[in-house]
Amino acid sequence: MNRQYLTDAELPFCKGCGHSLISENTDKALQKLGLNPLDIVVVTDIGCHGIIDKCLITHTLHGLHGRSVALASGVSAGLNNPEKKVIVFIGDGGATIGMQHIIDAAHNNFNMTVVIHNNMLYGMTGGQPSEFTPMGFKTPTLPGGATQKGYDICEIVTAAGANYACRVLGMGDISDKLAEAFSRKGFSLIEVMEICPSYGIKSNPGMKLAQTIEGAELPIKVYMDRDRDTFCPDLIENSKSLIDPGEAIPLQFSSKLKALVRLMICGSAGEGVQMAAEFFAQAALSSGLKATKKGSYPVTVGIGFSSSDIIISNDEILYTGSPKPDILIITSQDGLDYAGNAIRNMDQGLIYLDVSLKVPETKAKVIVHDFRGKVSAKYAALYSFFLYLKQSSVFPVGALVSIFNKSKLAEKMDVSKFLE
Amino acid sequence: MTDNTNNILFTDNSRLVVEALFRAGADVFAGYPITPANLFYSYSTKRFPLFMAAPDEITTLQWMSGFSATGKLPVTATSFPGYALMLEGINMAYMMELPMIIILVQRLGPATGTATCGAQGDLALINGTISGGLSLPTFSMSNAADCWEIPVKAVETAVNLRTPVVILTSKEEVMTIGGFDISSLKEITRVERKTYDNDIPFEPYKADEKLVPSFLPLGNTKHQVRITASTHDTKGIIQNTSKVALDNSKRLHDKMIKNLSSFTFYEADEQEGADTIVFSYGITSQASREAVQNLRTDGRKVSLLIAKTLLPVPPVYYEILSKYNHIVVAEENFTGLYRQLLFGAVPAKHITGINDFGKMINPASIIKEVKQLL
């Protein structure tokens, strides 16, 4: 059979290497399926097999060691076309490095066929063992032989969700087996067992491929053949703009603010600190002010401190830090512990402190109030902003009432509780 | 008082960046969630035509490269730990000349450091990303307005120069919320990826006069496309260190330098008679603006240069900075990464740095330094 997918060039492999057999049989298998070479993308990994791409007349993509299956996954999802065939050539070394990508591709059932060139060692770099090296199999750097069983990749991808998985001996005509794998939709994998003529045979004189594979307890068989749905990108059409004028804040109030004010609120995670700060900043915006809000919190979600810096100003706000706040609100012990630096930095200003907390040493004026007891810990932060607004009149309390009443919280809590 | 204009949106800048990228033509987001880049991830799920949740950042870069090779324009957002995992993949995409956008949201290191604290500690990493000293286009944003405009420039650069592009930002830049006047937003024109349209056999790495090769997607039925990360000739055939192959690799850097003026963005606010200039970028830009504003109010003459194109370093920065007797470089890292990159590890005495670690640079620090110089 004349080549139709390979050029007439001599294949770039050592004499007796199974990679030549796979290349020739791939050509033959594709001829059996009658595919257009330009409907095929062959993605090659790093390793001796990877230099085949210069001999192919299909599209070729040659990437990094171990990553070819992930690269092919992007190609497959990008093409999103069942008429296109994505084929990955990868060695047992590359498969060891990129095992996660193979599992992931099988799990997602990306439309591709992975051809594992398993010669049981890393050939290109001098014959180091891979995790596919069978127990007892020797390599130049492992003269005592591998002490563990090698991976059964067919078992692994079957468990992960592959549509098709099979192992063949790299001997004779394997084009029908390859054609079977290529013809499956979704993720298919075919593992071709070979011997590296440079390192495998020299390290294991007299070995026979079939016996070695049998001894390795790697059955030559089809492990899985099913028709699970192929990966299909979940395309979102006509998504809504993230810039929605309907979400703009109406200018309904006015402010008596004279100069920029930096506020800091410190409380506990899960007690609505960030949300309260956002409500306050939005209320400032609806009063014609400029406002920024930034949050500080540990990486944990529901435990520890939660702090927010808010700045309100008549003019554009540039620097958004608040190392020395004008107003510091502390609603919990977590907040008090976190606020240490700010308290030390304040040489004037006001601290609103929950009554449950010990009054810290400070040059700022301290106002003690029962935030937590009055409306519960969950609403203490929000309540503290209402109190601050009532006392400072930097903008109308009504602005915060308005923002609150537009929120879902209004269904759970009557705003009058904050105003008493 | 009432007003029906209702143009003030209460938003973080991540939203502006994602919307701008989408309108500019980015169509796939692939990524892995990491603080403080999470908002990019969540906005992208709502806006991009295709969203792909990757299992890790190594996979992310591979998926993105696959998408880009089929004609899509992918975006991801990450932080230092993720970028570190992407490093080899970014080199691959750079060598393959695959356009994509990588947003790096800086946080406090080293290592996992403090995920919820901002920083500007990764510029040297980006500068050294491409092995061999080749340049990777890198942008920075200085305020909300830039978060609308710079992403579009990033997309244009990625597509026009066929290259990965980095947008370098930091936690407070993209997570702080504020009022933003949406009536100020300029129209964005979608950037199209042009494809090779000729009967002459396609050479995927044959460059034009701008040193940029034409593009054809994998899977097209007209011409064979060969793409490779290894040293290659114009046909995409792997070669050792032949002249044509080395010339091709060097072209990857040369195309950035040749076209640098097309993606040089900065803000120079020079005051006549000033002998000191404050130079900054990213999150420290606003502190620098505030410091300069206050100094001028106090009657001090001082100029300001804000870099938006960070890499390759536009020569115009040296032209501007060289006019001043004192240069103050403000950036939120321990040792002055951009200062060292521009002026060496032991800069001349007239170049000083304002640096901080673990907290935003306060305008007061810049003011103090400038006052001491004048």
Side-chain angles (χ1 to χ4, degrees), chain A residues 53 58 84 236 239 295 297, chain B residues 8 47 49 116 171 219 224 226:
Chain A
D53 62 350
T58 63
K84 303 289 177 187
I236 303 168
S239 61
Y297 26 78
Chain B
I8 304 299
R47 192 54 165 140
T116 51
K171 184 234 170 186
Q224 183 194 26
R226 291 182 186 281

Side-chain angles (χ1 to χ4, degrees), chain A residues 193-226:
Chain A
M193 307 306 297
E194 317 171 29
I195 289 181
C196 173
S198 291
Y199 297 113
I201 291 173
K202 283 177 196 162
S203 298
N204 302 275
M207 68 162 286
K208 298 283 180 227
L209 180 62
Q211 286 169 359
T212 303
I213 303 310
E214 196 182 336
E217 297 173 24
L218 294 170
I220 302 299
K221 67 171 189 179
V222 174
Y223 277 68
M224 175 50 66
D225 191 358
R226 62 186 157 194

Side-chain angles (χ1 to χ4, degrees), chain A residues 280-331:
Chain A
F280 181 80
Q282 290 178 71
L285 292 173
S286 76
S287 305
L289 295 171
K290 306 282 190 285
T292 62
K293 177 261 167 193
K294 77 182 186 76
S296 299
Y297 26 78
V299 284
T300 47
V301 174
I303 192 164
F305 72 91
S306 179
S307 168
S308 184
D309 297 334
I310 307 122
I311 303 172
I312 54 173
S313 167
N314 289 304
D315 304 313
E316 189 191 355
I317 298 160
L318 297 172
Y319 170 61
T320 54
S322 291
K324 190 159 78 169
D326 302 303
I327 307 294
L328 174 62
I329 301 170
I330 304 169
T331 58

Side-chain angles (χ1 to χ4, degrees), chain A residues 36 38-39 41 46 53-65 67 70-71 73-75 77-79 84 100-101 104 108 110 231 233-236 239-245 247-254 262 278 281-282 285 291-299 316-321 323, chain B residues 1-3 6-10 15-16 18-19 22-23 43 45-50 52 55-56 58-59 62-63 65-67 70 72 88-89 92 96 115-116 148 171-172 175-179 182 185 217-230 237-238 286-287 289-290 293 360-363:
Chain A
N36 175 353
L38 294 185
D39 280 333
V41 181
I46 299 295
D53 62 350
K54 67 182 175 191
C55 300
L56 287 161
I57 64 162
T58 63
H59 298 293
T60 63
L61 179 58
H62 181 66
L64 306 178
H65 204 186
R67 312 300 170 199
L71 181 58
S73 300
V75 172
L79 291 170
K84 303 289 177 187
Q100 166 65 35
H101 305 308
D104 175 71
N108 281 302
F110 286 121
F231 176 83
D234 188 12
L235 296 171
I236 303 168
S239 61
K240 191 168 159 264
S241 173
L242 298 170
I243 311 295
D244 179 4
E247 289 177 18
I249 294 175
L251 184 58
Q252 294 173 309
F253 302 90
S254 60
R262 292 180 192 277
E278 286 184 23
Q282 290 178 71
L285 292 173
T292 62
K293 177 261 167 193
K294 77 182 186 76
S296 299
Y297 26 78
V299 284
E316 189 191 355
I317 298 160
L318 297 172
Y319 170 61
T320 54
Chain B
M1 188 175 84
T2 56
D3 186 319
N6 295 358
N7 290 323
I8 304 299
L9 197 65
F10 186 58
R15 180 199 297 254
L16 299 178
V18 171
E19 182 66 24
F22 168 80
R23 292 193 192 184
Y43 284 126
T45 60
K46 295 178 189 152
R47 192 54 165 140
F48 279 90
L50 181 55
M52 298 280 291
D56 58 68
I58 291 176
T59 306
Q62 296 300 319
W63 282 5
S65 300
F67 277 113
T70 59
K72 301 273 190 276
E88 192 188 17
M92 180 191 82
M96 291 176 167
T116 51
W148 187 253
K171 184 234 170 186
E172 303 303 353
M175 293 193 80
T176 299
I177 316 178
I182 53 177
L185 295 176
L218 288 173
N220 85 86
T221 50
K222 195 163 180 187
H223 296 286
Q224 183 194 26
V225 177
R226 291 182 186 281
I227 300 178
T228 176
S230 297
I237 302 279
I238 297 175
Q286 294 286 56
R289 286 192 181 107
E290 187 167 316
Q293 215 174 68
M360 290 166 74
I361 289 179
N362 191 325

Side-chain angles (χ1 to χ4, degrees), chain B residues 171-191:
Chain B
K171 184 234 170 186
E172 303 303 353
E173 284 180 75
V174 296
M175 293 193 80
T176 299
I177 316 178
F180 184 75
D181 182 356
I182 53 177
S183 67
S184 68
L185 295 176
K186 291 178 189 158
E187 278 293 314
I188 291 173
T189 308
R190 190 181 164 85
V191 183

